[in-house]
Amino acid sequence: MNIVVCIKHVPEVIDAELKINKDGAGVVTDDLEFDINEWDGFAVESAIRLKEAHGGKVTAITLGDEESEEALRNALAMGADEAIRFDSQGFEQSDAPGIARGLHAGLAPLAPDLLLTGAQSSDDGWGQVGLCLAEMLGLSYASLVVDFELKDNLIIAHRELEANTLERVELTLPCALTIQTGTNKPRYVSIMGIKKVRRIGIETLSATDFDLEGMIGAEASFMAERILSPPETGGHAEMIQGSLEEICERTAQVIREKGGLA
């Protein structure tokens, strides 16, 4: 089975103090730690487990700069067989379809039997790239997949719906899945594991290798340039003290004053 998994190198921002850059179009990333996108880690683990159970090959692909090869090395250390990096130059201010066009150009010649992506990325959070890729490749797909198995030529997947409900779908290969977190437990990658894959070559592609003029970047984006600014400083918090009855009464009063209750 030929499995392709798309990953992304993203900044870790949970405990970071973010600062807006001078042009107001992004945040300063110089001091941020980067790692493989959380959702993509589950997708890579799913691909590796499927290969281990049924055989085949796993190729990891990303769109990014040279530093994003760290995420590809992580995927190789987990068990991927090959890695491809599509250089991000020229993709500045691309929207989700623009990013998908670049990834599509890189992976379409691989003719994957199964395409896996994370359900979304922790930085942009679009949740669209995997679905756009499926459309461009002409593949049936299931999104927000929390569990799946291969049976003969079918992928039997369970996808997450609202209200803690799951939907069971059957897809004929080739197909695409976007993987939700919690699907599995991604294996730990040691420093020694990373070192062992340092010598594996990573194929590098660029937009100039394909006819993508007018299809990527700001000119092809449906989204206008974004401007970031810190939120306005609000008033001070009121610490409510007293007995439970007094606290409840004061809380209801504040909610009414703020228009929360009729």
Side-chain angles (χ1 to χ4, degrees):
M1 173 178 288
N2 185 16
I3 307 170
V4 175
V5 56
C6 296
I7 65 176
K8 189 176 184 181
H9 200 221
V10 297
E12 296 286 347
V13 298
I14 295 178
D15 298 319
E17 183 178 347
L18 299 180
K19 297 180 181 178
I20 299 174
N21 57 27
K22 292 182 179 179
D23 60 11
V27 298
V28 178
T29 60
D30 297 343
D31 298 326
L32 296 179
E33 295 289 333
F34 280 73
D35 200 355
I36 186 171
N37 178 51
E38 181 182 7
W39 285 263
D40 300 345
F42 289 95
V44 173
E45 179 64 29
S46 295
I48 302 305
R49 293 188 182 190
L50 198 61
K51 183 190 77 168
E52 292 173 343
H54 301 279
K57 181 179 71 173
V58 174
T59 302
I61 182 171
T62 192
L63 191 152
D65 56 18
E66 288 187 6
E67 292 185 356
S68 67
E69 290 189 4
E70 181 181 339
L72 291 174
R73 297 290 178 192
N74 192 301
L76 289 169
M78 290 176 69
D81 302 287
E82 297 179 357
I84 301 173
R85 178 177 69 87
F86 205 113
D87 192 83
S88 58
Q89 185 173 357
F91 286 86
E92 296 82 1
Q93 299 183 42
S94 288
D95 56 7
I99 298 298
R101 291 185 190 106
L103 291 170
H104 173 259
L107 67 85
L110 303 178
D113 297 307
L114 179 63
L115 172 66
L116 299 179
T117 74
Q120 64 181 41
S121 63
S122 60
D123 52 358
D124 293 325
W126 287 328
Q128 301 175 22
V129 173
L131 308 182
C132 290
L133 274 172
E135 175 67 21
M136 293 174 185
L137 291 165
L139 300 178
S140 56
Y141 68 87
S143 60
L144 296 173
V145 172
V146 296
D147 186 32
F148 72 92
E149 63 176 321
L150 175 64
K151 188 174 182 180
D152 297 327
N153 198 43
L154 289 177
I155 289 290
I156 303 173
H158 294 85
R159 54 186 302 267
E160 186 178 53
L161 302 179
E162 294 83 1
N164 199 30
T165 304
L166 298 180
E167 179 184 43
R168 182 183 184 275
V169 295
E170 294 185 0
L171 305 172
T172 303
L173 295 177
C175 62
L177 307 175
T178 72
I179 304 299
Q180 178 63 293
T181 56
T183 307
N184 48 53
K185 185 177 181 180
R187 62 197 66 191
Y188 172 75
V189 176
S190 66
I191 296 178
M192 289 301 297
I194 295 292
K195 288 183 177 180
K196 287 181 180 179
V197 300
R198 284 297 179 190
R199 294 184 180 180
I200 298 179
I202 294 178
E203 183 180 358
T204 303
L205 306 173
S206 69
T208 56
D209 296 329
F210 304 91
D211 185 16
L212 295 175
E213 185 176 356
M215 300 172 64
I216 61 174
E219 61 178 324
S221 177
F222 287 99
M223 298 174 60
E225 181 177 349
R226 62 184 181 182
I227 300 298
L228 303 179
S229 61
E232 296 182 3
T233 303
H236 296 290
E238 177 184 348
M239 302 302 295
I240 302 175
Q241 299 179 348
S243 65
L244 177 60
E245 183 178 345
E246 292 171 337
I247 291 174
C248 292
E249 183 177 346
R250 175 55 185 157
T251 301
Q253 181 183 356
V254 171
I255 293 175
R256 284 195 294 269
E257 291 174 353
K258 298 295 183 180
L261 291 175

